[in-house]
Amino acid sequence: MTLTVRASLLASLSLFSFASAAAAQDVPPAQDATASTQAQDERPAGDQTIIVTGTRSSNRTVADSPVPVDVIGSDAIVHTGQTETNRILNQLVPSFNFPQPSIADGSDTLRPATLRGLSPDQTLVLVNGKRRHVASLLNINGTIGRGSSAVDLNLIPGIAISRVEVLRDGAAAQYGSDAIAGVINIQLKNSAHSGRASLTYGEYHTTLSDVAAVTGLQLGPDGQPVLGTVPTNDPRYLLANTDGERKANDGTQVTAAANLGLPLGDRGFVNVSAEYRSRDRTNRAGYDLRPNFNRPTAAFDPREVNFNRLQFRFGDPDSKDYTVFVNAGYDITPDWELYSFGSYGHRDATSAANWRQQAAAANRNYAVLAPNQAPNTANFVPLTDIGFLPLIGTDLDDYSAFVGTRGAVAGWKADFSVGRGYNSFDYQVSDTLNTSYGTASPTDFDAGGLRYAQWVANADFSNEYNIGAAKPLTVAVGFEHRRERFKIRPGQVESYAAGPLAIAPITTTAANCITTLSGRFDPATGICSFPGRAAPAGAQGFPGIPASAQTNQARHSWAAYAELDTDPVANVTTTLAGRIERYSDFGTTVNGKFAARWEFLPGYAVRGAISNGFRAPSLQQQYFTTFSTNFIGGVPVDIATLSVTAPAAVALGAKPLKPEKSVNVSLGATANPLRGLTLTADLYNIKIKDRIVLTETLGTGGTGNIATVQAQVTSLLLAAGFPQVSAARFFVNGVDTTTRGIDLVAAYNLRTGSLGKWTLTAAYNRNKTKIDKRLAAPGALAQIPNIVLFGRVEGIRFTDGQPRDKIVLSADGDFGQIGFTARTTRYGKVVSPGSEPPLAPNQTSLTAYGPDDIFLGRKWISDAELRWKPGGGTEFALGANNVFDVYPDRSPFGLRPGSTTAANSFPANQEYIPYSIFSPFGFNGRFVYARASVDF
């Protein structure tokens, strides 16, 4: 489709589209616990929907809220065509970002999402108003959300959701830790007399943008493959014949879901939702044209000609999920209700690590070498015939259960509840080996696992008093007790240990080294080394969690809050909240919030809020520990991710983590110039002090590109008595940041008679984060000149790694038996930082761009769905996400522009890993689906 035609279609849609889909949904009040779904005409207008997030008043609506709250109804969730909640919110909420990384270990399976460009763990998630537990996984790879543990929203199936309320404002004073960016409150379905069943089938039909379809290698007159030559080609790759762009039909996804509401006599209800989702993997890798086989002579291995060069896997993993949610309530007396809700979810997924070439050190049999024999191409003996692709299997189990009762105590509304959440994440690595064990290595490994549990108990009270104000004063007070526990389970020994083919250098005598140990002796240093025993240790692809990392840590906290909510005079709404919370590990924090709205003319209002907030350091950030052994320059280096209390980390200057502290200020305006039309604008400024980040890996030369750093860090560790740790990283309160942005939202509920009923929506978010201050190196690290704890790459991930802005335009309508949804989303610019430092004279700059940084341009992603309702509650739908098959900008590869030497080249992997994992809409291409459903 031409750009002109595409632009015309998007422009036509834009004429009918103003506002976030979130702001325009018609949903029944949350208090209606037993009524079946109302007819569309009986639902309140979107801006008159009663909200339960951001206020404890019982009659606050979207229209008179002093802070912005988006409400996403169940219809909007269904009409996206997606069945993962994170992908649904990414389509509907402009300030929500959900990149979909690949080759990122556990983050392939449990992908983090963000709100307002902040960290995934700075958004609080509630279910039915109760705190949802976070995942046990800590994201420590180079993805958005590095160093965070977040709630896995994809464990909450869309069919269980009545609506989602997204509070876009700081709310720690009302809800406690994590609510810096905002709050996502998921309300479960509560009908007692209705149900729904659906079956969705879809798959990707796509053409990879700027990725060549290789038909074979170019061969010379002698029948041998041909390497590229400078300056025409990159000499790292074999020349190939191509035919257009690579096509893919994969990622088949089947989702079966059902929801059923049943009465419990005439006094209660139980609502059950279940979903099963099976998703085949996608692969958006390009062809790997590097020579794969060992080359001891000038001639290539003859297998190069017919070798399958799509060995890499780059995309969504194979995944099977099943989840069950139950929501129930029962009136035990006229004044008291017993309620309960809970869930169980399970996910099996298999993702891939990087392909290990046949000629790689990871595939070498070191047993054929003498300890003093240097490895080279002539003495290479492979462990596998063609190389191998390590597969990382993850087994996730998750459950939660809440039980409570609400009623009246001495004239006060009261709500007592207790709940538990639990998440486990286990690793199984297969089709791989621990090279240091040689031919004795297993090929499948139990690589260990993580556990997180949370207990939370709440007591909430509220009452209304007539004090002569325009509306009664709502007084709410409450108490919360929370207990958390984090565990690390080690893997089997072979998954992490250094086997007999990995021997570290030692200091000894020449005679002992040469005669007894068969090593190489350096008389200048007295060091005996073993080049023939330099096999990489640990399971390739994902080294297991070692026994030394075993962890079992807990903490608890107590909190009390108070909130006042009233209209002191006509058309003026105010909310005042305060909270004090004490944690067993870092002490007490006090937070407050004031919000107000003034409707100065009928339908026109201004609003604003100011608050301070906090986020407690997670147990994962405080206690996560693991070790991996890498060979750097042929020498085994143990790299440790250390807890802040580990003696080696303390020796380097690590200190107990403090909570992150924020100050949120927002100012906005709302207008209803026409019946059914709502316009809102909100500016926000979020300053966060002591943000918790993971340091650079200290001791590998990766800190400010200073050559002496590695030796000096290693010396510090050695002097402190930790010779087994040559490089380390740990969490610190490392940076202060400021995030500024604006949300513009409009919604128009249009009733056109013969043309049916339409909801036209549009929204815009612009967001920018700036680093105000970086932590100076603490303790012993301060002795090292120019050392950087939080470097350029991580800094750019903070400031430029998420879209600068985002636009969502949509039109959703029904006319007779036909329904139609069209949506287009524009994702703004993103920078994906590379490891190469900036060019002179900015080599040490922490903000300048480097030659390998990738700049992802703005992209429009359009979705469409057509529905037919023949009657009897049945519905059939056909649709496509990313209709125009748009991809992020292709990563550059080969020689850099103007290069005349092979050394001046882009990273080699960008030839076969064509897209950045920072893409805010992923990189899978067009998804086509069909759905059949029945309401009863």
Side-chain angles (χ1 to χ4, degrees), residues 102-105 108 312-314 317 350-354 389-392:
S102 183
I103 316 183
D105 298 342
D108 286 12
F312 270 87
R313 293 188 191 178
F314 183 62
T350 303
S351 59
N354 288 293
L389 181 69
L391 299 178
I392 304 171

Side-chain angles (χ1 to χ4, degrees), residues 551-605:
T551 299
N552 186 351
Q553 295 288 340
R555 73 172 174 196
H556 64 271
S557 64
W558 295 89
Y561 77 86
E563 182 176 317
L564 305 176
D565 196 310
T566 190
D567 289 10
V569 297
N571 302 319
V572 175
T573 299
T574 59
T575 298
L576 179 66
R579 186 181 186 95
I580 182 170
E581 194 151 356
R582 179 170 182 80
Y583 282 76
S584 60
D585 51 355
F586 67 79
T588 302
T589 177
V590 179
N591 300 278
K593 179 174 182 176
F594 176 73
R597 177 184 181 274
W598 174 36
E599 187 170 355
F600 56 90
L601 290 174
Y604 295 84

Side-chain angles (χ1 to χ4, degrees), residues 128 133 297 403 481 575 579 608 679 726 765 869 881:
N128 282 355
H133 61 281
T297 66
V403 62
H481 177 58
T575 298
R579 186 181 186 95
L679 307 171
S726 299
N765 170 262
K869 299 180 180 180
N881 293 321

Side-chain angles (χ1 to χ4, degrees), residues 760-851:
L760 309 177
T761 64
Y764 173 74
N765 170 262
R766 185 170 180 84
N767 191 83
K768 175 64 177 175
T769 294
K770 178 173 68 75
I771 294 177
D772 301 320
K773 180 182 177 182
R774 283 177 163 88
L775 175 71
L781 291 176
Q783 304 172 25
I784 303 176
N786 301 317
I787 192 169
V788 177
L789 294 185
F790 190 72
R792 188 192 72 89
V793 171
E794 296 306 319
I796 290 176
R797 283 185 181 133
F798 259 46
T799 60
D800 299 283
Q802 302 191 60
R804 180 65 56 84
D805 56 8
K806 183 176 175 183
I807 301 171
V808 179
L809 310 174
S810 70
D812 187 271
D814 290 287
F815 36 99
Q817 294 181 322
I818 302 300
F820 179 71
T821 299
R823 182 182 305 104
T824 186
T825 304
R826 197 205 74 168
Y827 297 88
K829 295 179 179 179
V830 171
V831 179
S832 176
S835 59
E836 188 70 17
L839 301 177
N842 299 312
Q843 300 97 317
T844 60
S845 171
L846 296 179
T847 57
Y849 296 126

Side-chain angles (χ1 to χ4, degrees), residues 12 175 201 386 426 486 544 568 595 670 703 742:
S12 299
Y175 299 106
Y201 175 90
I386 65 170
D426 290 297
F486 174 62
T670 66
T703 55
I742 184 171

Side-chain angles (χ1 to χ4, degrees), residues 651-652 698-701 703 706-720 725-726 780-787:
L652 292 176
L698 306 173
T700 60
T703 55
I706 307 299
T708 59
V709 166
Q710 177 179 338
Q712 293 189 53
V713 170
T714 304
S715 296
L716 286 175
L717 291 166
L718 184 64
V725 180
S726 299
L781 291 176
Q783 304 172 25
I784 303 176
N786 301 317
I787 192 169

